[in-house]
């Protein structure tokens, strides 16, 4: 892994927001967060990612009602027929069925560091998840994030080309080639729809569903892609973010992109508790215009929050999640 690509020499700074506090119950990461239109957030925790610190805690999914002033995450009850011991949740995405408003939660899972997608239905009455199916496919080889576009269809990013542990952890970062991709999955067809990324990471969709956004961690940019009728993606442009951005969330009203980023990823890879990696939240406004506005909304040198991976907003509040540390809630105003 080159020091240049990971911004190894970048000095970390503090640029805080008012009234930040750590969310309860989320001590083992909050790698991905997604918030629905009514303020209900889903949070994945307990990710064990190769090369990153992690705990022995099993993976869990939490919900958080952003309209409740107590702001307390609730652990979702998992079904008995599901292997919780090996549950290793990564990217998540929600799909609401327009015909009956059923809520489907798609979760990238890495049992024994393999890659598969778990499809759940959320039951609001008792804060539980019903497991519907596990999806595996040879093209879903190293899935990082997922974007649900139907009750059983989605886009997924692969962040590595190799599946062999040694090759993907050591050789691939050393070669640093744009070999990763985006895959479209449906029961009818599975295909690569976009490629040429150094490390395809977060993926999301515009409010009008016409464009898809993909963060390339090691190329320090966000790709804007147009979605075609046959679900293929055509590149429109890439917007430089000057950071290693992880997950992408989209504000449903403004269309702004919110990114949880690693300002100095070298520190995350070489983890030293005395010199921790920092955190950074980036907002992109007017991404489809000739001059998108890229703003650093929050920065920390690792003394408050370590290794931010996602940022999501609702009702003037900002949630910041991390790969293996705590989660923060701050006021944006």
């Amino acid at each position: 892994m080159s020091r240049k690509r990971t911004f190894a020499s970048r000095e970390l700074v503090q640029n805080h927001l008012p009234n930040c506090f750590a969310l309860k119950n989320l001590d083992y990461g909050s790698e991905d967060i997604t918030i629905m239109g009514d303020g209900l957030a889903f949070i994945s925790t307990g990710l064990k990612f190769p090369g990153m610190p992690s705990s022995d805690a099993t993976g869990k999914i939490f919900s958080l009602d952003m309209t409740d002033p107590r702001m307390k995450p609730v652990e979702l009850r998992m079904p008995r027929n599901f292997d919780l011991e090996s549950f290793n949740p990564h990217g998540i995405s929600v799909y609401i069925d327009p015909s009956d408003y059923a809520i489907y939660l798609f979760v990238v899972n890495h049992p024994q560091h393999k890659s598969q997608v778990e499809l759940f239905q959320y039951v609001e009455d008792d804060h539980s998840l019903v497991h519907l199916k596990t999806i595996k496919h040879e093209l879903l080889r190293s899935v990082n994030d997922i974007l649900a576009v139907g009750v059983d269809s989605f886009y997924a990013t692969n962040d590595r080309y190799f599946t062999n542990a040694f090759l993907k952890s050591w050789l691939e970062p050393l070669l640093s080639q744009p070999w990763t991709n985006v895959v479209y999955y449906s029961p009818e067809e599975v295909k690569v729809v976009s490629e040429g990324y150094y490390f395809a990471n977060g993926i999301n969709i515009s409010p009008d569903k016409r464009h898809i956004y993909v963060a390339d961690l090691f190329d320090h940019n966000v790709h804007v892609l147009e979605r075609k009728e046959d679900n293929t993606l055509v590149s429109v442009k890439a917007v430089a973010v000057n950071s290693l951005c992880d997950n992408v969330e989209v504000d449903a009203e403004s269309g702004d992109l919110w990114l949880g980023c690693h300002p100095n990823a070298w520190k995350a890879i070489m983890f030293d508790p005395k010199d921790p990696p920092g955190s950074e939240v980036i907002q992109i406004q007017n991404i489809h215009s000739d001059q998108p506005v890229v703003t650093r909304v929050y920065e920390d040198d690792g003394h408050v929050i370590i290794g931010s991976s996602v940022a999501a907003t609702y009702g003037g509040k900002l949630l910041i999640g991390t790969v293996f540390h705590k989660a923060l809630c701050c006021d944006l105003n």
Side-chain angles (χ1 to χ4, degrees), residues 133-321:
K133 62 179 169 181
T134 296
I135 297 165
K136 301 179 190 181
H137 193 276
E138 60 185 6
L139 289 180
L140 301 171
R141 58 169 66 146
S142 182
V143 183
N144 186 302
D145 196 17
I146 187 165
L147 168 65
V149 290
V151 291
D152 50 11
S153 58
F154 57 84
Y155 290 92
T157 54
N158 282 306
D159 57 21
R160 302 291 198 342
Y161 174 78
F162 293 111
T163 49
N164 173 284
F166 171 77
L167 294 177
K168 77 176 182 183
S169 298
W170 296 100
L171 181 65
E172 190 164 341
L174 199 66
L175 295 173
S176 195
Q177 293 298 310
W179 289 345
T180 72
N181 61 24
V182 179
V183 169
Y184 172 76
Y185 177 95
S186 73
E188 294 74 47
E189 66 169 348
V190 187
K191 58 188 178 183
V192 174
V193 288
S194 183
E195 51 198 340
Y197 302 90
Y198 288 90
F199 192 106
N201 202 316
I203 184 167
N204 221 311
I205 196 165
S206 60
D208 65 9
K209 313 290 187 230
R210 287 175 48 211
H211 291 91
I212 298 231
Y213 309 117
V214 176
D216 188 339
L217 187 85
F218 288 146
D219 210 24
H220 317 138
N221 58 30
V222 173
H223 290 256
V224 178
L225 306 147
E226 189 183 346
R227 187 180 174 203
K228 297 297 186 186
E229 296 257 320
D230 63 356
N231 297 302
T232 54
L233 302 177
V234 177
S235 177
V236 176
K237 63 176 169 182
V239 176
V241 288
N242 199 33
S243 188
L244 288 92
C245 289
D246 199 320
N247 287 307
V248 183
E249 291 301 309
V250 179
D251 185 302
E253 301 197 345
S254 66
D256 292 354
L257 275 64
W258 289 86
L259 309 155
C261 309
H262 306 281
N264 181 332
W266 185 261
K267 289 189 177 187
I269 296 159
M270 300 294 167
F271 188 72
D272 173 4
K274 294 189 205 67
D275 183 23
S279 292
E280 183 170 51
V281 172
I282 290 176
Q283 175 190 21
I284 305 179
Q285 295 163 287
N286 308 326
I287 193 164
H288 297 285
S289 72
D290 291 338
Q291 291 176 311
V293 181
V294 178
T295 310
R296 284 175 166 67
V297 175
Y298 178 95
E299 296 169 277
D300 183 63
D301 58 8
H303 285 87
V304 175
I305 185 167
I306 295 171
S308 55
S309 55
V310 63
T313 61
Y314 186 86
K317 293 200 180 308
L318 173 70
L319 295 186
I320 308 172

Side-chain angles (χ1 to χ4, degrees), residues 58-113:
T58 54
K60 292 173 180 168
I61 304 289
F62 284 80
S63 68
L64 173 66
D65 180 359
M66 297 286 291
T67 63
D68 184 340
R70 291 174 305 172
M71 290 292 286
K72 193 180 173 192
V74 176
E75 183 183 337
L76 297 184
R77 288 195 318 134
M78 300 294 274
R80 288 200 179 92
N81 67 341
F82 185 74
D83 181 7
L84 271 178
E85 284 301 300
S86 69
F87 188 42
N88 189 9
H90 200 166
I92 59 175
S93 182
V94 169
Y95 181 78
I96 301 170
D97 188 341
S99 67
D100 60 0
Y101 302 107
I103 299 169
Y104 295 94
L105 181 67
F106 292 67
V107 182
V108 176
N109 184 18
H110 302 293
Q112 293 86 42
H113 296 297

